[in-house]
Amino acid sequence: MTQKKPSPAPRGTGGAARKKEPQANAQAAELSELRPGQSVELLKELHILTREGRLNQDSRRKLKQVYHLFNFIEPLLTELSADGGGPTLADHGAGKSYLGFILYDLYFKALGHGHIYGVETRAELVEKSRLLAQRLGFGRMSFLNLSVAESSAADELPAQIDVVTALHACDTATDDAIAFGLQKKARAMVLVPCCQAEMAACLRQGKALQLARTPLAELWRHPLHTRELGSQVTNVLRCLYLEASGYQVTVTELVGWEHSMKNELIIARYTGQKKRSAAERLRAILVEFGLENALGPRFGLAVAADVTEAVAAG
């Protein structure tokens, strides 16, 4: 009796299955980079994950930056919520609110209380964030179509905010965020400054006079050096201003320089100990660069001619 041979499998079936296995494994490996319980739907909406749930090189870079920043902010939130209260956080220059949404998803959602306020000048981004928060059920998020400066007097924000963040807030918007934090008696500020053009413009105005007065002016004789030095000096002044206002300041890198050139992270925690020496050094730096009248008020200094001359002489 002749045995019947088994029917061959349809051509191509085995190959397709073998192709799907590596794809599924690769997707699983990418999803393993996410935090436990993190919303895949949110990451797709923020375009950090593709519609197929994959990570590309650009989205992996964005995710790394936000995770790294979250690692600095989470301990502050934990400390603030230790007494059972709900921390409030204002995110200035929020853009698409990557930071706010991920903070809510990873921390505020499980906490059950607390509130995040996203402040952004572009109305279309504010509306998109509102709709996304509603769709995801993120009920304790508010989005305000305001500038950082306008938000200080906005009725939609409470009288006190626990944490102030400003991620790549351009030029003087970082200073506005600091002023907001001081007004709202913030217990912590987390800042990543960007594009400090004001200082460079001020340095250029008095360049000829400064070159004649001090050899230090060679530090900003060339336009490229003016821009870079202006950025550094601005951030130094910000740190001194925060220390003079009662904050303990730490300066570090946000991520590796290969990911972003705007990489300086300033973390300020309120201690109530105002450093007089910080205010004195702040004034001395402004005097040295001839900027005490132009920028002194921005950093909380009332410029008095007699004091200015005494500091310059000393």
Side-chain angles (χ1 to χ4, degrees):
M1 183 174 174
T2 307
Q3 288 185 342
K4 188 176 181 181
K5 293 182 179 179
S7 301
R11 177 174 272 177
T13 303
R18 284 193 296 272
K19 284 181 181 178
K20 285 182 179 179
E21 281 185 24
Q23 290 176 357
N25 291 337
Q27 185 173 359
E30 288 173 344
L31 291 177
S32 70
E33 295 182 35
L34 308 183
R35 301 295 177 91
Q38 192 164 10
S39 170
V40 172
E41 182 185 354
L42 169 65
L43 295 179
K44 287 182 179 180
E45 290 291 343
L46 295 178
H47 303 293
I48 290 177
L49 286 178
T50 66
R51 290 299 172 189
E52 294 75 31
R54 303 292 297 272
L55 278 168
N56 58 36
Q57 186 175 354
D58 183 57
S59 60
R60 184 175 275 108
R61 177 183 58 81
K62 289 179 182 176
L63 191 63
K64 181 178 180 179
Q65 285 190 35
V66 176
Y67 277 169
H68 195 61
L69 194 55
F70 176 77
N71 288 338
F72 287 107
I73 297 174
E74 183 185 23
L76 300 174
L77 295 173
T78 301
E79 182 180 324
L80 291 170
S81 59
D83 58 359
T88 52
L89 182 145
D91 181 28
H92 288 293
K96 296 179 181 179
S97 290
Y98 285 96
L99 177 61
F101 275 115
I102 289 179
L103 282 172
Y104 193 97
D105 190 37
L106 293 179
Y107 192 86
F108 282 78
K109 185 169 65 176
L111 188 64
H113 44 255
H115 202 102
I116 293 178
Y117 299 88
V119 179
E120 170 58 45
T121 57
R122 288 166 287 183
E124 67 279 10
L125 297 183
V126 171
E127 185 59 25
K128 286 180 180 178
S129 294
R130 287 173 180 165
L131 293 173
L132 179 56
Q134 185 177 8
R135 187 159 65 251
L136 294 172
F138 289 5
R140 287 171 286 107
M141 292 190 79
S142 301
F143 302 93
L144 310 177
N145 182 204
L146 299 167
S147 69
V148 182
E150 291 168 341
S151 67
S152 295
D155 294 334
E156 297 95 327
L157 286 152
Q160 183 171 0
I161 292 287
D162 294 313
V163 181
V164 173
T165 61
L167 181 60
H168 294 151
C170 282
D171 201 12
T172 59
T174 298
D175 299 308
D176 292 336
I178 292 173
F180 173 93
L182 294 177
Q183 180 185 324
K184 297 292 184 180
K185 299 179 174 61
R187 296 167 68 181
M189 300 190 215
V190 181
L191 313 165
V192 180
C194 182
C195 307
Q196 294 96 322
E198 185 187 44
M199 173 68 76
C202 290
L203 289 172
R204 281 193 295 269
Q205 285 178 358
K207 186 186 297 184
L209 179 63
Q210 293 298 318
L211 279 168
R213 188 178 75 85
T214 171
L216 284 178
E218 290 292 336
L219 294 173
W220 68 95
R221 181 158 66 92
H222 300 287
L224 177 61
H225 294 161
T226 304
R227 188 181 67 203
E228 294 302 315
L229 180 69
S231 176
Q232 286 293 98
V233 173
T234 301
N235 287 339
V236 168
L237 293 173
R238 286 165 175 162
C239 292
L240 289 170
Y241 184 31
L242 286 165
E243 289 178 341
S245 301
Y247 288 81
Q248 180 187 48
V249 176
T250 302
V251 181
T252 186
E253 293 179 3
L254 174 59
V255 287
W257 291 103
E258 70 274 14
H259 295 286
S260 174
M261 292 303 291
K262 303 299 181 182
N263 198 33
E264 187 169 335
L265 174 62
I266 300 172
I267 303 170
R269 298 166 61 106
Y270 187 71
T271 64
Q273 297 177 351
K274 298 182 179 182
K275 291 186 177 180
R276 182 178 175 182
S277 61
E280 292 171 349
R281 289 170 185 169
L282 193 160
R283 181 185 291 278
I285 290 172
L286 288 172
V287 170
E288 181 64 38
F289 285 93
L291 301 171
E292 65 276 18
N293 290 315
L295 297 181
R298 177 177 295 280
F299 295 104
L301 299 182
V303 179
D306 55 340
V307 177
T308 299
E309 289 172 5
V311 174

